Structures are given as structure tokens and as C-alpha cells.
Amino acid sequence: MKRKFVTCLLWCAASLAALAQTEGNRIEFTEYDLPNGLHVILHEDHSTPNVAVSVLYHVGSKNEVEGRSGFAHFFEHLMFEGTENIGRGEYSSLVQKAGGALNANTSFDRTYYYELLPSNQLALGLWLEAERMKHAKIDEIGVETQRKVVQEEKRERIDNQPYGSMGENVFSLAFQEHPYKTMPIGSFEDLNAASIGEFRDFYKTFYVPNNATLSIAGDIDTEETKKLIEEYFGDIPKGTKEIPRPDVVEPEQTAERRKTVYDNIQLPAVIQAYHIPAQGTEDYYALSMLTTLLSGGESARLPKALVDKQQIAVAAASIPFPTEDPGLFLTFAIANMGVEVDDLEQAMNAEIERVKTESLSDREFQKLRNQVESDFVQQNSTVAGIAESLANYSVYYGDANLINTELQRYMKVTKEDIQRVAKEYLTKDNRVVLHYLPQSEKPQQ
């Protein structure tokens, strides 16, 4: 009884600490829309003389039409080609000369551009992003240049990388109808077949103010920044095309799907992917905490059991994909030398079953909560992280203030919730399984 009482006190203390942390470090922000539909979020933070300028376009690979995959990722590259007022290839040099850095990324659901600059270079970041939005250079030279760049990226990161095709194989096997069946990088064939007119139409449809969120965090004066935003973005016309949002619902999977992939590897691997609800749902938070339980650090269950104790794997992890529509929960392991792939899969299954049948100890659950809290705080410990989080919360959830309150959703998850979602979603009929084997083991035709 005494032990239970102490544990209860620890849980209460942790919950209060999380609440105090959130309130004590509350991230204040200003949020508004321009008449052209551009959504703006501003966070003023004078702790360092830096500023993050970011634009999130609500377009990812799931917005592409059949036969024209890879457009969103292609535009991630193409939009650095220059504009009517910025020479080809000058984006990077302009930012670097100002002492900053820039980058972009594309997912199933969004494309995200950002500059990290000294705060006295805020106007530069705004000008660069306004130019990108107003009149990006989409011509034959840029398209052909970036076609080659994207093709080389695919060869380097996927085709010639051990286990590099994992994403393509997992998602194409798990999704039969939903656009998530195609990875953001797309295919050479689709990009090569596209005309310049199709690229320009894609730009005019998605890269418009009413499909964008401008999120700025750092050493700024909010009122002065509003004036600059009006100066650079105010005259950009609202998009006139309807922005397509896919409403495809993936049919419920009722039987396990399996595939064997022969790759240029030496060690076999097992990948298991389970269908799970979309980000932001109650069960997603429990599944996310389950992921941390299974692979959040060297002492987590999967690496501890498979790598340290049984020594049948050289690596093991679990990953939930945070997607706008229902997505996937992945577990994977790379076999140790001489270990059969079937034995590795059985060991992985055993760890999943252990979550379903054995209750978490109070100590393990408290450690899990502490780690989730730490990860959440670290995610928003820089102006770059804050700018991105504010944009994500606004676009995906319609509530930028989740940057201050989402941690409480995690803290509401109980031990029973984690066990329940493991039983409900991590089932054989709800998963796909891939075995990656060395090319040398491929049967002769």
C-alpha cells in the first residue's frame, strides 16, 4: 500500500511538473490572416538575436494525381531555381552571405521551406519567401535541371542505399487505395512524362497564399514584422484554382500481407507495419507513447531484448508515422550475423505480445512519461522548432496553441491505454511484413 501511495505521488508530481513547465514556459504568439488568405503566426523571443522564417504549403504527395507522382517533392527543389528578381541558384548564396542557413522538406502532407537568419536580416527572409510565392521561375531549364537533381537524389538515397527501398515497399504494400501508397519522391517515369504546362498548373494551384502558413519565430518586433509582411506579401493575389483535398478512405485490412525483397545487403531485416489512426487522435497519442516504450533509447524494449539480451539483431526500433490521414506504425530489426530472418521475426512478435499481455511496471511507465515530456520540451527549445510546431499545429489541427497544451494529451494516456492500443492495432491481420534478404539468397530462375 505504501509503495502504491508513493507511486501515486510520483505520478501526481510529474503531472503537476508538466503543467507547470507548460505554463511557466508558455509560448506566446500572434495569429492572423491577410486578405489574400495567407495565414500568419508570429512568436516574439528576444533570448537570441536570431529569427526563423518559414512557409508551410499544405501540399504533399497525397495531393498528386495518379501518373504524376513526385510533383510536391520536385517543387521542393524547383522553388530554389530563382524568380523574376532572384537569379538561378542565388537563394542559398544570399542566405549564406547574410550569415544564415536555409532548407526545405516534403512529406505526404506538406512542403516546408525555412530560413534561419540573424534577426537584422528578417526582411531578407520575407523577401525570399514572397518571391518564391509570387513568381517562382518555372521554365524548361529549371525543370530539366531539377529532374536530374531529383533522379540523382533517388539513386543515392533509395536505389543505391542498403534497405533504401524500405519506404516504397512498405507503403505500396500497406495502402491499396489511399495516395500514401506512393512515397513523396515519386517515380522517374512520371516526372519525365510531365509537361511544363503541368508543372506551372501545379504551382498555380498549390503555391498560393490561401494554401500557405507563414510562421516566424525569434528576435522580432511583432508590430514592425506585421508591416513588413504586408509590404512583401500583401499584393500577392489569392489563388483562383480549387485546391484538391483527397478524400480517399483506405479499406480496412483484414489479412496479413507479406513480401520478400532481395537487396544489396549483407544482413537480413524484418519490417512490420500496422495501420493506425491519424495524428491528433486519442489513440495516436497512446501509440506514440508505445513507440517510445519500444524504442525510445538504448534501454527501450526492442533494442534491450533483441540487441542486448538475445543478441539476434544489430539494430531494432519502432516508428509511428505522424500523418494527416490514418497512417502506419513500423517496427523493424536488422539481423545479427548468422541469424535466420524467421527467428528474428518471432523475437519481434514476442516483444509485441509482451506489451499486450504484461502490464507496464510503475517505474517503467513513469520513465516513459518523463521521456515523452523531455522530447516535447526539446522539440520546442529553439526558434526553428517553435516556428515549425506553430505551423504544423495550425495546419493539421486548426489550433496553433497546441504548442502549449498538447503535452497534456500525452500525460492523459494511461498504462491501460497503451496496452489497449497494442491489442487493438498491432494485430496480424492489420499488418504487412517485409523480409529483406541479400541478393545472394534470391532463388535462381
Side-chain angles (χ1 to χ4, degrees), residues 58-76 106-111 177-187 190-191 199 202 206-207 244-246 248:
H58 196 184
V59 54
S61 58
K62 82 166 185 289
N63 299 94
E64 298 158 355
V65 298
E66 195 81 26
R68 289 297 180 264
S69 65
F71 265 47
H73 174 256
F74 186 78
F75 266 83
E76 175 198 320
T106 308
S107 72
F108 292 108
D109 303 311
R110 68 162 205 184
T111 305
E177 302 291 338
H178 194 279
Y180 288 162
K181 64 185 178 182
T182 303
M183 293 297 287
I185 201 163
S187 72
D190 288 354
L191 290 176
F199 286 116
F202 196 81
F206 292 104
Y207 299 86
R245 302 285 180 214
V248 178

Side-chain angles (χ1 to χ4, degrees), residues 152-392:
E152 183 57 33
E153 179 184 351
K154 187 173 186 294
R155 291 189 189 98
E156 181 180 337
R157 295 187 180 183
I158 297 177
D159 299 343
N160 299 325
Q161 186 76 19
Y163 316 102
S165 63
M166 183 189 302
E168 287 184 342
N169 281 297
V170 167
F171 279 85
S172 64
L173 187 62
F175 290 96
Q176 306 293 297
E177 302 291 338
H178 194 279
Y180 288 162
K181 64 185 178 182
T182 303
M183 293 297 287
I185 201 163
S187 72
F188 291 173
E189 293 77 16
D190 288 354
L191 290 176
N192 288 335
S195 67
I196 190 70
E198 288 176 293
F199 286 116
R200 287 171 177 162
D201 184 68
F202 196 81
Y203 174 67
K204 292 177 181 178
T205 300
F206 292 104
Y207 299 86
V208 292
N210 44 305
N211 194 45
T213 296
L214 172 66
S215 181
I216 302 172
D219 185 24
I220 62 172
D221 179 279
T222 297
E223 294 306 315
E224 289 301 317
T225 302
K226 286 182 178 181
K227 295 177 184 177
L228 287 172
I229 291 170
E230 177 62 34
E231 177 183 346
Y232 287 108
F233 291 89
D235 65 345
I236 301 177
K238 184 176 183 177
T240 58
K241 295 178 176 290
E242 181 181 353
I243 299 173
R245 302 285 180 214
D247 56 2
V248 178
V249 177
E250 180 67 21
E252 182 180 355
Q253 185 174 323
T254 57
E256 183 183 66
R257 300 173 191 151
R258 303 180 73 91
K259 183 177 182 179
T260 299
V261 179
Y262 296 96
D263 198 4
N264 185 26
I265 56 176
Q266 293 185 341
L267 298 174
V270 176
I271 303 96
Q272 301 171 330
Y274 302 85
H275 290 274
I276 61 171
Q279 61 184 359
T281 58
E282 288 187 10
D283 282 359
Y284 178 83
Y285 291 107
L287 286 158
S288 181
M289 292 186 73
L290 174 56
T291 296
T292 305
L293 174 72
L294 290 173
S295 66
E298 295 181 1
S299 63
R301 287 193 176 189
L302 280 176
K304 187 174 182 179
L306 275 58
V307 179
D308 297 339
K309 289 185 178 180
Q310 301 175 45
Q311 296 185 357
I312 63 173
V314 296
S318 174
I319 306 169
F321 277 80
T323 47
E324 194 170 19
D325 294 342
L328 296 179
F329 180 112
L330 268 66
T331 59
F332 74 91
I334 299 175
N336 211 336
M337 190 70 70
V339 174
E340 294 293 329
V341 70
D342 290 335
D343 294 335
L344 180 59
E345 183 180 346
Q346 289 180 17
M348 294 169 66
N349 290 341
E351 287 305 307
I352 297 297
E353 288 305 312
R354 192 160 76 88
V355 176
K356 299 177 184 180
T357 58
E358 299 178 14
S359 298
L360 277 72
S361 68
D362 293 341
R363 180 184 179 88
E364 190 174 28
F365 184 54
Q366 188 55 55
K367 179 182 176 182
L368 173 61
R369 286 162 59 89
N370 292 343
Q371 187 170 352
V372 168
E373 181 183 347
S374 176
D375 291 344
F376 186 86
V377 172
Q378 287 297 317
Q379 176 183 327
N380 299 313
S381 62
T382 66
V383 292
I386 290 171
E388 184 169 10
S389 290
L390 285 169
N392 280 336

Side-chain angles (χ1 to χ4, degrees), residues 96-157:
Q96 289 167 2
K97 287 177 183 177
L102 77 169
N103 214 328
N105 55 67
T106 308
S107 72
F108 292 108
D109 303 311
R110 68 162 205 184
T111 305
Y112 187 73
Y113 299 90
Y114 64 92
E115 291 84 28
L116 307 178
L117 293 158
S119 52
N120 62 3
Q121 296 294 323
L122 169 62
L124 172 63
L126 293 174
W127 177 64
L128 291 172
E129 291 304 334
E131 281 289 307
R132 203 194 306 270
M133 188 182 297
K134 188 182 300 184
H135 37 228
K137 189 177 292 182
I138 303 172
D139 56 20
E140 296 286 359
I141 295 175
V143 167
E144 290 307 314
T145 299
Q146 293 307 323
R147 273 188 176 126
K148 295 174 183 177
V149 170
V150 171
Q151 289 176 359
E152 183 57 33
E153 179 184 351
K154 187 173 186 294
R155 291 189 189 98
E156 181 180 337
R157 295 187 180 183

